[in-house]
Amino acid sequence: MSKSTTWDMQGSWDAKGGWATQGRCDEHGAAPRGLASAGLDRMRHVLARSVESGAVPGLVALVGRGADTHVEVMGTLRAGGGEPVRRDTLFRMASATKPVTAAAAMILVEECRLRLDDPVDPWLPELADRKVLARIDAPLEETVPAHRPITLRDLLTFTFGFGAVLAPPDAYPIQVAIRELGLDTTAPEFGPDEWIRRLGELPLMRQPGELWQYHTGSDVLGVLIARVAGQPFEAFLRERIFEPLGMKDTGFHVPEDRIHRLPVSYAHDPATGELTVWDEAAGGKYSRPPVFAAGGDGLVSTADDYHAFYRMLLNKGTLGGERVLSRASVELMTTDQLTPGQKTEKDTFGDHFGRHGGYGFGMAVRTHRRDLASPGQFGWDGGLGTSAYADPAEDLVGILLTQTAQDSPDTPGLIKDFWTTAYQATV
């Protein structure tokens, strides 16, 4: 199929000395359903508004539908101006890592090296014979035996009994213990074997299978995948997912010859709301290989690389003649796996965790029409300012990458506006 690419260079210098919109790229193919120019124009203006206001220094937005791909590139790598963001700018994907980790686990299921409902004890003996807190606020020694072992399905659905505590810091003894063991960071100073050993020192918070609890299941999956595969987690991802899909810029750190493509990462001062540097590029967290490659939030990537991953999922496991997963595995991953009881805590957190309705393997699954997204939409956001979802009903992939954390209303609001305009671009 022939494809043409057109560039429309538009933009203006903002008050901070940065070019607000570096480039706009449209790739057109003979798709039965494409993208509407009016909706894309609205998207560009909405995104530019956030860059021009300084809410986010820069961004890359991609919308793909069938053979049509539209990309907006805006702003600079650092607040206040400087080098412009480019289409191949690298972003810290944060929790948008989780769906990739789930896909890697399903590869091992398809090879019959793991089974969804078998205990993971043979590979993770540190998590065998679990004790469970009598209640979430109980002292660590006040426990009961686990009713059953932890399974792979528990890890994939975040129901293995341990995860983020949705309460103020140090409200409960288990939170204090997590902090004291160094398990409360996305960049531990010890490797995966020591990480899982320390995790095994703690009781579970809930019985296996009882309740959805965020995050930790993906980090455990990374350790499990490496042990079953007999190779480092990143090496397995590269061999089985990144290279087949052409994801040449995705990994757990940025090599020195690419560090100029990594923007400064920003958070917000809780008192003033002003942007503050969370992580520099050169010399920062992602400038060197991590001691612990975290399956929950460790990847760095580009919009085009993640487009390939989500397009593979939309294509039921294939892309460009390469099959990464079976159709059945993709459908299982992207189907709501939770019971109403398992969703109880998740759904109390509204827009943060509950807006999708369901959760599959490592990602949210839309179960109801609450906004413009179709039921069946799947994907996840990253707390450092990223969002990536696919909508099978619309054959749509949307990816928004920023370097500004979702710790103030600005970035979550921008993500919502991106998705509102993305759906207006469907025809």
Side-chain angles (χ1 to χ4, degrees):
M1 179 183 298
S2 63
K3 180 186 293 184
S4 65
T5 300
T6 61
W7 284 91
D8 177 15
M9 297 300 293
Q10 301 183 25
S12 60
W13 291 102
D14 62 24
K16 296 182 178 180
W19 185 246
T21 303
Q22 277 72 48
R24 176 183 178 187
C25 177
D26 295 278
E27 299 170 359
H28 303 289
R33 296 190 299 174
L35 296 167
S37 59
L40 296 175
D41 287 343
R42 179 169 292 177
M43 174 187 294
R44 176 162 49 92
H45 290 301
V46 167
L47 297 176
R49 187 170 60 206
S50 287
V51 175
E52 290 163 1
S53 72
V56 295
L59 60 84
V60 176
L62 181 150
V63 180
R65 195 173 193 226
D68 284 5
T69 301
H70 178 89
V71 178
E72 295 285 356
V73 181
M74 302 182 181
T76 54
L77 299 179
R78 179 181 290 273
E83 290 296 316
V85 172
R86 307 187 317 184
R87 179 167 175 164
D88 66 352
T89 291
L90 293 150
F91 290 86
R92 301 158 183 84
M93 300 306 295
S95 287
T97 300
K98 290 174 168 67
V100 178
T101 298
M106 289 306 297
I107 290 172
L108 294 174
V109 170
E110 292 191 345
E111 294 177 347
C112 298
R113 299 162 79 179
L114 284 172
R115 300 188 187 99
L116 285 170
D117 295 308
D118 278 5
V120 296
D121 295 359
W123 302 104
L124 301 175
E126 299 91 341
L127 301 185
D129 302 319
R130 292 287 77 204
K131 299 292 185 181
V132 183
L133 287 175
R135 58 186 187 281
I136 190 62
D137 61 348
L140 297 189
E141 62 273 10
E142 192 173 329
T143 63
V144 297
H147 296 332
R148 61 167 177 81
I150 296 165
T151 67
L152 175 61
R153 189 185 301 272
D154 296 329
L155 297 174
L156 286 164
T157 57
F158 293 174
T159 59
F160 83 103
F162 198 98
V165 179
L166 303 181
D170 291 353
Y172 306 134
I174 188 67
Q175 294 170 281
V176 176
I178 290 169
R179 175 174 52 77
E180 290 177 345
L181 286 172
L183 298 173
D184 61 340
T185 173
T186 60
E189 298 178 355
F190 37 84
D193 290 340
E194 177 63 13
W195 184 87
I196 201 76
R197 186 195 70 77
R198 295 189 187 198
L199 183 64
E201 290 184 7
L202 298 176
L204 298 179
M205 303 175 192
R206 304 280 183 170
Q207 288 288 343
E210 180 183 353
L211 191 72
W212 184 92
Q213 291 180 278
Y214 190 51
H215 181 71
T216 313
S218 287
D219 284 346
V220 176
L221 280 174
V223 181
L224 175 65
I225 290 165
R227 290 185 177 182
V228 175
Q231 61 186 136
F233 180 43
E234 181 173 17
F236 183 81
L237 292 181
R238 189 161 306 283
E239 177 184 323
R240 305 305 299 274
I241 296 177
F242 301 157
E243 290 180 355
L245 296 179
M247 298 171 68
K248 62 183 185 300
D249 284 321
T250 304
F252 286 97
H253 83 289
V254 181
E256 185 177 356
D257 62 351
R258 303 180 196 177
I259 199 70
H260 63 283
R261 291 164 49 195
L262 182 69
V264 177
S265 179
Y266 293 93
H268 294 86
D269 185 296
T272 66
E274 295 295 316
L275 291 179
T276 59
V277 174
W278 182 80
D279 184 51
E280 288 281 0
K285 172 184 173 182
Y286 293 88
S287 65
R288 54 193 176 274
V291 178
F292 176 44
D297 59 8
L299 287 179
V300 179
S301 191
T302 65
D304 284 305
D305 276 13
Y306 255 59
H307 187 205
F309 176 75
Y310 274 88
R311 182 56 58 181
M312 176 273 292
L313 294 177
L314 273 186
N315 291 346
K316 304 295 185 182
T318 67
L319 186 72
E322 294 282 348
R323 178 164 290 282
V324 174
L325 288 166
S326 70
R327 174 192 55 78
S329 286
V330 173
E331 291 178 354
L332 183 64
M333 288 175 61
T334 58
T335 299
D336 182 18
Q337 298 290 323
L338 300 183
T339 67
Q342 290 169 331
K343 298 177 184 180
T344 301
E345 187 172 86
K346 177 181 75 68
D347 287 354
T348 63
F349 280 80
D351 274 352
H352 199 57
F353 290 135
R355 70 182 181 273
H356 312 88
Y359 204 82
F361 289 170
M363 68 186 97
V365 177
R366 181 82 57 166
T367 60
H368 57 279
R369 189 125 204 179
R370 186 178 180 212
D371 46 36
L372 301 187
S374 310
Q377 182 206 48
F378 58 83
W380 201 237
D381 299 316
L384 296 180
T386 58
S387 183
Y389 289 82
D391 188 328
E394 296 288 350
D395 194 24
L396 178 72
V397 175
I399 297 165
L400 177 65
L401 306 181
T402 82
Q403 77 265 53
T404 308
Q406 296 196 58
D407 56 354
S408 86
D410 288 341
T411 309
L414 173 60
I415 290 173
K416 290 177 184 177
D417 291 346
F418 164 72
W419 283 106
T420 296
T421 55
Y423 278 95
Q424 293 175 62
T426 60
V427 295

